[in-house]
Amino acid sequence: MINNLKSKITDKSANIGIIGLGYVGLPLAVEFAKAGFSVTGFDNDSVKVSEINKGASYIPDVPSKDVKDIVSSGKLSVTSDKSLLNKMDVIIICVPTPLRKTKEPDISFILQAAEDINSNLRKGQLVILESTTYPGTTEEVILPKLGGNGLKVGKDIFIAFSPERVDPGNKKYKTKDIPKVVGGVTEVCTELAKVLYSQIIKEVIPVSSTRSAEMVKLLENTYRIVNIGLINEIALLCNKMDVDVWEIINAAKTKPFGFMPFYPGPGVGGHCISTDPHYLSWKARTYGFETRFIELAEKINSSMPHYVVDRIIDGLNSQKKPLKGSKILIVGVTYKKDISDMRESPSLAVINSLIEKEAKVQYHDPLVSNFEIDGLSLNSIDLTKESVSSSDCVVIITDHTVLDYKLIAENANLVLDTRNALKAFKGNAKIIKL
Ligand SMILES: NC(=O)c1ccc[n+]([C@@H]2O[C@H](COP(=O)([O-])OP(=O)(O)OC[C@H]3O[C@@H](n4cnc5c(N)ncnc54)[C@H](O)[C@@H]3O)[C@@H](O)[C@H]2O)c1
């Protein structure tokens, strides 16, 4: 069974099924298809299914041309029909892992995927979970579902966890360039997962268990949230001390060892940094353990949108204007630059607070033409001399590369720059930095 599956993987005749074709699943499907595998994507979203089958990509990092080529050559097809899972030799789960309102893990999408696989399970399949989740999920949730029907794990079926590390918008590191960590339920499961990913990724790092592989991802994202929390706190202090935090970071990062730069900002967002550490905190609590660094970083990071609003109020005040009734132009609303993802974006908290305080809020984002906030629909306005100069304050929340910063710097009455995007315009008294 093992050797059969291994040779199917190495000669690329293995059928690969990917459940969930979002920011993670679609790039992965494309890589396997480009490597010569026959890939079937499974998604519940009928719009995504029809888009891909038409050869159109909805993920900016994945060119439509790539999708068109592999769809027309028959290497990639997408369906909502889960019965086809039975035909797959390898099944990779890339479904969302959000938080509930109570900030507790919502693993319902993983549970649904596991049930779909279980209903279509057969001998000789390798199942890999890639969704970010708390350590223990694969063995506590997937294993009992799939291993409970007489099939022996490590002999008849194979189960592993491999964290996804994709960084949307990153031009240098794409799915195939990022080393992949794998941990199986048994050694054979690890070995098979290693052989699989080695077909599309240069470096694969095996670890001793699924639990370790799950923990690797949460360490990586906890490291980020804690360091962002630290630098945000330093930014608050620097403002009080009238020291430029951006200058400090740029000088500190010249140290060739022992320092890695993180940058302050209006808060954290996205589907990873603002979510994943809560998965770890939640699991830690089941061990009676408190993850104090995560709690503190979360507290600081979630205070940043309020701090941004306070700085807008201070800036307007220095020009003898109240926030109430002032025109505020928000530039960039996504959670980070050069992507269109608004999930958990700190811009939402900033805009909400400004609207609550009765400011007149408009926004410009070249990647988001409209969105809804608390039942209110907002449309992106053009970034023009007129729209900038007629605003009482321009607030740069997301520093997209394509934005015309010269236009902003030269025409704004006041700018709050939360990303140091206007670093080239030194000495302009109308620009205040975070
Ligand atoms: N987006 C990132 O930058 C990133 C990076 C690393 C890891 N992750 C993790 O990867 C996982 C997926 O994230 P994403 O950003 O790709 O999510 P996404 O929302 O972009 O995509 C998930 C897809 O899964 C589909 N889906 C949900 N349940 C399904 C089911 N039962 N069957 C079939 N399809 C189903 C949805 O329709 C959607 O298209 C999450 O655990 C996330 O934390 C995301």
Side-chain angles (χ1 to χ4, degrees):
M1 194 64 67
I2 303 151
N3 289 335
N4 187 23
L5 182 54
K6 207 186 241 181
S7 52
K8 274 184 162 182
I9 292 172
T10 49
D11 70 19
K12 301 194 169 55
S13 64
N15 288 321
I16 303 208
I18 297 186
I19 306 182
L21 284 199
Y23 286 91
V24 165
L26 182 60
L28 191 67
V30 169
E31 282 312 320
F32 275 116
K34 275 164 65 176
F37 288 93
S38 171
V39 181
T40 307
F42 295 85
D43 206 292
N44 291 345
D45 183 336
S46 57
V47 176
K48 285 183 177 167
V49 171
S50 92
E51 286 290 294
I52 295 295
N53 286 334
K54 274 191 269 171
S57 169
Y58 40 75
I59 303 283
D61 285 344
V62 178
S64 282
K65 187 190 174 310
D66 286 11
V67 175
K68 203 169 222 133
D69 288 351
I70 50 181
V71 167
S72 51
S73 68
K75 286 293 174 198
L76 175 66
S77 64
V78 186
T79 178
S80 302
D81 178 4
K82 305 291 170 57
S83 70
L84 294 175
L85 284 167
N86 182 262
K87 301 211 174 340
M88 302 298 121
D89 300 297
V90 175
I91 300 168
I92 304 177
I93 307 169
C94 303
V95 296
T97 42
L99 290 172
R100 297 189 187 285
K101 280 210 172 98
T102 54
K103 303 253 172 199
E104 291 186 349
D106 174 2
I107 59 161
S108 56
F109 297 95
I110 295 184
L111 279 168
Q112 182 59 56
E115 265 160 32
D116 291 338
I117 296 169
N118 189 43
S119 311
N120 297 288
L121 196 65
R122 63 164 169 80
K123 271 189 183 181
Q125 288 183 313
L126 166 63
V127 176
I128 303 174
L129 177 62
E130 284 212 10
S131 303
T132 306
T133 182
Y134 57 80
T137 310
T138 310
E139 291 199 356
E140 293 161 17
V141 177
I142 304 278
L143 181 61
K145 278 233 175 308
L146 307 188
N149 48 18
L151 296 177
K152 195 162 167 23
V153 177
K155 193 165 167 281
D156 303 320
I157 55 162
F158 310 94
I159 302 174
F161 181 85
S162 179
E164 181 48 62
R165 293 161 138 181
V166 71
D167 181 20
N170 193 320
K171 301 264 177 289
K172 187 169 174 199
Y173 296 105
K174 306 272 181 206
T175 300
K176 66 178 175 15
D177 313 303
I178 306 170
K180 199 94 174 92
V181 172
V182 294
V185 171
T186 69
E187 276 181 29
V188 172
C189 299
T190 308
E191 172 62 14
L192 280 172
K194 181 171 184 253
V195 171
L196 174 76
Y197 287 113
S198 302
Q199 308 305 310
I200 56 161
I201 290 167
K202 278 181 223 123
E203 195 183 352
V204 182
I205 301 108
V207 294
S208 61
S209 63
T210 53
R211 199 173 285 262
S212 298
E214 288 156 342
M215 189 67 180
V216 168
K217 174 73 186 181
L218 292 187
L219 169 62
E220 290 166 5
N221 280 358
T222 300
Y223 175 83
R224 279 189 61 73
I225 197 182
V226 167
N227 279 288
I228 293 169
L230 171 66
I231 205 66
N232 276 334
E233 186 171 69
I234 296 289
L236 302 183
L237 175 63
C238 282
N239 181 49
K240 286 212 174 295
M241 296 170 82
D242 202 17
V243 175
D244 182 345
V245 67
W246 307 94
E247 183 191 9
I248 310 303
I249 299 166
N250 283 335
K253 77 178 187 192
T254 59
K255 186 179 177 182
F257 49 86
F259 184 84
M260 179 184 259
F262 284 83
Y263 298 93
V268 294
H271 196 41
C272 292
I273 303 296
S274 53
T275 301
D276 304 349
H278 290 287
Y279 271 67
L280 189 56
S281 298
W282 177 83
K283 191 64 180 174
R285 284 198 293 279
T286 69
Y287 288 85
F289 189 92
E290 191 192 349
T291 50
R292 289 167 291 170
F293 274 102
I294 294 177
E295 313 304 329
L296 180 58
E298 161 69 12
K299 210 170 168 178
I300 296 168
N301 293 334
S302 62
S303 75
M304 293 310 287
H306 307 291
Y307 176 68
V308 168
V309 173
D310 286 347
R311 294 291 304 278
I312 298 170
I313 293 171
D314 290 348
L316 289 169
N317 195 39
S318 69
Q319 297 186 353
K320 301 191 174 54
K321 292 178 184 171
L323 176 60
K324 186 171 175 174
S326 283
K327 272 177 85 177
I328 311 292
L329 175 59
I330 303 288
V331 173
V333 291
T334 60
Y335 81 89
K336 70 171 183 172
K337 68 191 282 185
D338 298 341
I339 61 162
S340 57
D341 194 347
M342 282 200 67
R343 290 180 293 184
E344 319 292 333
S345 174
S347 67
L348 297 168
V350 171
I351 292 171
N352 239 333
S353 171
L354 290 172
I355 290 174
E356 258 175 38
K357 293 178 170 46
E358 297 182 45
K360 293 179 186 151
V361 183
Q362 294 186 303
Y363 88 95
H364 169 76
D365 192 312
L367 300 176
V368 181
S369 53
N370 55 58
F371 67 93
E372 274 205 12
I373 184 162
D374 270 353
L376 187 72
S377 175
L378 294 180
N379 294 315
S380 177
I381 62 163
D382 291 341
L383 190 69
T384 61
K385 203 171 160 184
E386 158 64 15
S387 63
V388 170
S389 63
S390 66
S391 299
D392 295 297
C393 182
V394 176
V395 186
I396 300 174
I397 294 285
T398 317
D399 51 340
H400 295 306
T401 309
V402 298
L403 289 168
D404 187 345
Y405 293 109
K406 190 161 178 277
L407 179 96
I408 298 173
E410 287 178 356
N411 295 290
N413 296 305
L414 175 71
V415 189
L416 173 61
D417 179 4
T418 70
R419 302 284 187 179
N420 202 24
L422 302 184
K423 52 183 169 293
F425 305 92
K426 275 198 187 112
N428 182 338
K430 290 178 176 165
I431 301 172
I432 49 176
K433 296 202 265 185
L434 192 78

